[in-house]
Amino acid sequence: MRVAWIPRLLVVLGLLGGGLLWLVPRFETLMNGTSPWTPPEPAVAGLPADTTQALQALSVHGSVPECQAHAKDEGEDDAEEHVHRHIIVPVEPLARLEGQAEKIRPYLGHPSEPVVYRAASLLCFIQDRPSRRALEWLESRYPRRPWVWQIMAGAGLVSDEVLRSRRAVGDQAEYPKAGHEALSSLPDGSGPSPEALALARRISEGDASAVRQALQLTQAMELARRPDGGHALRQVSTPRGLALVYQAILERWEARVLSYSTGSPHPQREWKEGPLEGMGLEILMSVRGRTGKAREAVLVETVGLMPESLREPMYAAIKQDTSLFREIARFARSPEGQEVTGVTARAFMERLEQEDTREQAQKREAMSEPIIALFRAGDVAALKQVAAFDMNNPFRPLQQSLAASYLLALGEHEAFALGTLEASHLTLRIPERNVIRGVVKLVLDEAKSGATKKRLQRIYERLSRHCQGEDCSVERPR
């Protein structure tokens, strides 16, 4: 009797033992399958911290279409109630990505939104359990990010009802500024964080990697960090740092990151601003304030620190800003400009000065020719009209003074001409004063002794005093 139940016991024990042997190696897997997944720290996972490098690492998986689900009508319309039902149709998985989720999903923990978006888009086209768990974590971590909804729907992880309820609150969802837009406008009342100030110091000391880091910060996954990128650039305090920022603008550093789109209804704008507009101009004025130098002096020094290949683009940018172009030309003629010793900076500054001198001479000639023609024709009435007419034009005083001088040369309307000349010549720039000085000298040499000659002598002496350090050669009418 006792022997009969022993084999049965052995069978039962064998079955239990076999079950345990099967469960033990699978216990951890079963437990993990029901627990939430969390991405490892990027450094622990060995991910590149740099956004561009991380995107390059993900590029080995190839490109994928946009993860965009579509709604499909199901059932027939009710003739009276006109009721029909939509179902969400996810994207089709890509066979070539099968089994790649474990390599891709750690990138969901990357601090850069373009990297996370790229990784999530790849996982959308895998749709196995590891990819689903990773996307579920992403949705729980960023529940108000619209592009996350789009990818969840594309992967078939949300119902039509859930998607419609989320779209209903779309106006309240997060459409954070990123990339170019984050650089263009900082939040009201926000100030630089310690991280932004540290980046600004590195940039000011000439660290090019800090410029790239600041640009990439504008696409940070954590919204609170995005303003740090713009603040860091706006806190640059040296021409050396400004030179790096201008180089980044002209050479399109991080252009791909700045223009990266994450399925937002407001697509990112590509960074197209030049070095002397928008953010570039703001930083120039910041450096000017922090150094106490004039902006033309800061700009000349900055260009002297930039690569030779960028001098032509900077020349073209400055030429578009007439006031800045003239300021640099005047700076080149000033005592401060004469102290510039850098070979590159000096050559660049003198090129602008020579260009300005040539252009201004051509304009003066064009403005003078009609007045000289009236003088040669002896048209006193027309000369008086020009001398008396006032207009807000930088060359108009030149024409008035010329007309008044030629009236004196013709011996006409002396009192009126002298009064006009005394009033108008003071408003002229130095190069125009030299032109008038030449004509006044001609009239003075031919004038008879008397009150008129004395007044002309005083005008000539005033004009001569402004010629110190300038080309005061006497210019006579043709």
Side-chain angles (χ1 to χ4, degrees):
M1 293 286 297
R2 295 179 180 176
V3 177
W5 56 268
I6 292 177
R8 295 177 185 174
L9 179 60
L10 292 175
V11 170
V12 172
L13 291 175
L15 291 172
L16 289 174
L20 288 173
L21 289 174
W22 182 86
L23 283 173
V24 168
R26 292 166 176 80
F27 180 76
E28 185 177 355
T29 302
L30 290 173
M31 291 300 295
N32 288 339
T34 58
S35 63
W37 176 85
T38 302
E41 289 295 322
V44 173
L47 306 184
D50 181 83
T51 300
T52 304
Q53 292 177 7
L55 290 172
Q56 289 173 346
L58 285 171
S59 68
V60 300
H61 300 286
S63 61
V64 293
E66 185 179 9
C67 177
Q68 180 72 59
H70 67 275
K72 178 182 178 182
D73 290 343
E74 187 176 79
E76 297 181 358
D77 287 353
D78 185 286
E80 294 182 358
E81 298 182 6
H82 300 287
V83 176
H84 58 272
R85 190 161 59 93
H86 295 288
I87 62 171
I88 296 297
V89 180
V91 300
E92 290 292 331
L94 294 177
R96 63 179 173 82
L97 293 176
E98 185 177 354
Q100 299 299 307
E102 293 295 346
K103 297 179 181 179
I104 297 170
R105 63 182 190 168
Y107 285 89
L108 295 188
H110 199 277
S112 173
E113 187 172 51
V115 176
V116 177
Y117 179 68
R118 172 67 177 156
S121 298
L122 289 167
L123 293 172
C124 173
F125 286 91
I126 298 178
Q127 299 179 18
D128 59 6
R129 180 158 184 74
S131 65
R132 287 196 298 271
R133 293 180 63 217
L135 291 177
E136 286 167 355
W137 172 86
L138 181 67
E139 194 272 342
S140 68
R141 179 68 179 80
Y142 304 100
R144 293 178 55 80
R145 209 68 63 94
W147 66 262
V148 175
W149 307 350
Q150 172 187 313
I151 287 180
M152 293 294 286
L157 296 176
V158 295
S159 65
D160 177 52
E161 290 75 13
V162 172
L163 189 59
R164 280 192 285 109
S165 67
R166 289 178 175 176
R167 286 173 176 168
V169 296
D171 292 340
Q172 302 171 2
E174 293 175 347
Y175 293 108
K177 292 181 178 180
H180 175 278
E181 291 181 343
L183 284 174
S184 300
S185 59
L186 294 174
D188 294 336
S190 69
S193 68
E195 180 183 5
L197 293 175
L199 272 178
R201 284 194 294 272
R202 287 170 53 198
I203 295 170
S204 300
E205 292 168 0
D207 186 347
S209 66
V211 178
R212 296 183 182 276
Q213 189 175 342
L215 297 177
Q216 292 180 6
L217 263 178
T218 63
Q219 284 275 32
M221 196 68 189
E222 299 299 332
L223 306 186
R225 300 187 66 217
R226 290 188 180 179
D228 285 345
H231 279 305
L233 294 173
R234 286 168 171 81
Q235 296 294 318
V236 170
S237 59
T238 65
R240 182 172 297 280
L242 181 60
L244 285 176
V245 176
Y246 283 172
Q247 185 175 351
I249 294 174
L250 293 171
E251 292 183 345
R252 319 249 335 121
W253 290 5
E254 307 305 330
R256 181 185 177 192
V257 172
L258 291 172
S259 61
Y260 207 98
S261 177
T262 52
S264 167
H266 310 292
Q268 310 299 329
R269 293 186 295 115
E270 189 177 0
W271 187 11
K272 297 179 180 178
E273 291 178 352
L276 297 179
E277 55 185 329
M279 184 194 66
L281 181 59
E282 285 188 37
I283 302 173
L284 169 61
M285 301 310 293
S286 173
V287 175
R288 170 192 176 185
R290 294 170 189 276
T291 60
K293 299 179 180 179
R295 67 170 184 167
E296 58 270 22
V298 170
L299 196 54
V300 166
E301 184 176 351
T302 297
V303 174
L305 296 169
M306 295 175 68
E308 183 178 357
S309 60
L310 298 179
R311 290 179 202 164
E312 285 304 317
M314 284 302 299
Y315 175 79
I318 292 172
K319 281 282 288 182
Q320 291 179 354
D321 188 331
T322 303
S323 65
L324 184 55
F325 177 64
R326 297 276 174 78
E327 286 172 9
I328 293 177
R330 286 195 291 271
F331 175 69
R333 303 180 188 111
S334 70
E336 294 81 4
Q338 298 301 315
E339 294 177 1
V340 174
T341 57
V343 176
T344 302
R346 178 148 207 89
F348 186 81
M349 177 181 67
E350 290 178 347
R351 176 185 177 185
L352 290 170
E353 191 278 330
Q354 292 166 5
E355 180 72 15
D356 178 68
T357 298
R358 183 167 56 254
E359 288 184 1
Q360 296 306 310
Q362 292 171 349
K363 290 180 180 179
R364 286 193 296 272
E365 185 175 358
M367 296 294 287
S368 302
E369 282 180 351
I371 313 304
I372 294 173
L374 294 176
F375 166 63
R376 289 176 175 169
D379 194 336
V380 175
L383 286 171
K384 185 178 181 182
Q385 184 179 7
V386 172
F389 189 73
D390 188 21
M391 182 182 292
N392 186 21
N393 183 308
F395 286 96
R396 199 67 200 179
L398 172 62
Q399 291 182 316
Q400 283 183 283
S401 297
L402 276 177
S405 299
Y406 287 137
L407 283 173
L408 290 171
L410 293 172
E412 301 285 346
H413 303 288
E414 283 192 5
F416 164 76
L418 283 169
T420 299
L421 188 59
E422 287 174 331
S424 62
H425 86 272
L426 296 175
T427 64
L428 293 171
R429 300 186 332 141
I430 290 178
E432 283 75 44
R433 288 176 184 174
N434 288 343
V435 174
I436 301 303
R437 179 175 176 272
V439 181
V440 169
K441 176 64 174 174
L442 174 67
V443 178
L444 178 62
D445 289 344
E446 298 179 357
K448 297 179 181 179
S449 299
T452 297
K453 188 162 187 171
K454 290 180 180 179
R455 291 177 70 180
L456 280 170
Q457 183 66 38
R458 286 196 297 271
I459 293 172
Y460 179 77
E461 289 172 356
R462 289 196 202 110
L463 290 167
S464 297
R465 282 198 295 271
H466 292 288
C467 287
Q468 295 177 5
E470 298 287 334
D471 178 11
C472 286
S473 59
V474 176
E475 299 186 38
R476 298 178 181 272
R478 291 168 295 176

